[in-house]
Amino acid sequence: MLDTTQSDAAPVTEERRGCLFALSQPPLMIFLAVIGCLLLLASLHDLLLL
């Protein structure tokens, strides 16, 4: 049978990573930049050309 009790001496192998870690990933930042540029172009088109 497996021992599922955790003691204080057991090392923590998995660190919790928050939102800043996710935003530091280049593919996500490229995706967000493309979406932001598309929104900016659409808003400028509405404001200036329509």
Side-chain angles (χ1 to χ4, degrees):
M1 198 166 178
L2 292 175
D3 183 16
T4 58
T5 59
Q6 293 182 353
S7 64
D8 293 334
V12 177
T13 57
E14 182 178 326
E15 294 180 10
R16 298 188 73 184
R17 294 178 174 171
C19 187
L20 290 178
F21 175 77
L23 286 178
S24 67
Q25 302 304 311
L28 177 63
M29 291 305 294
I30 292 170
F31 172 74
L32 292 177
V34 168
I35 297 299
C37 287
L38 289 175
L39 288 173
L40 179 66
L41 288 175
S43 63
L44 288 175
H45 178 265
D46 286 347
L47 286 174
L48 300 176
L49 297 177
L50 294 179

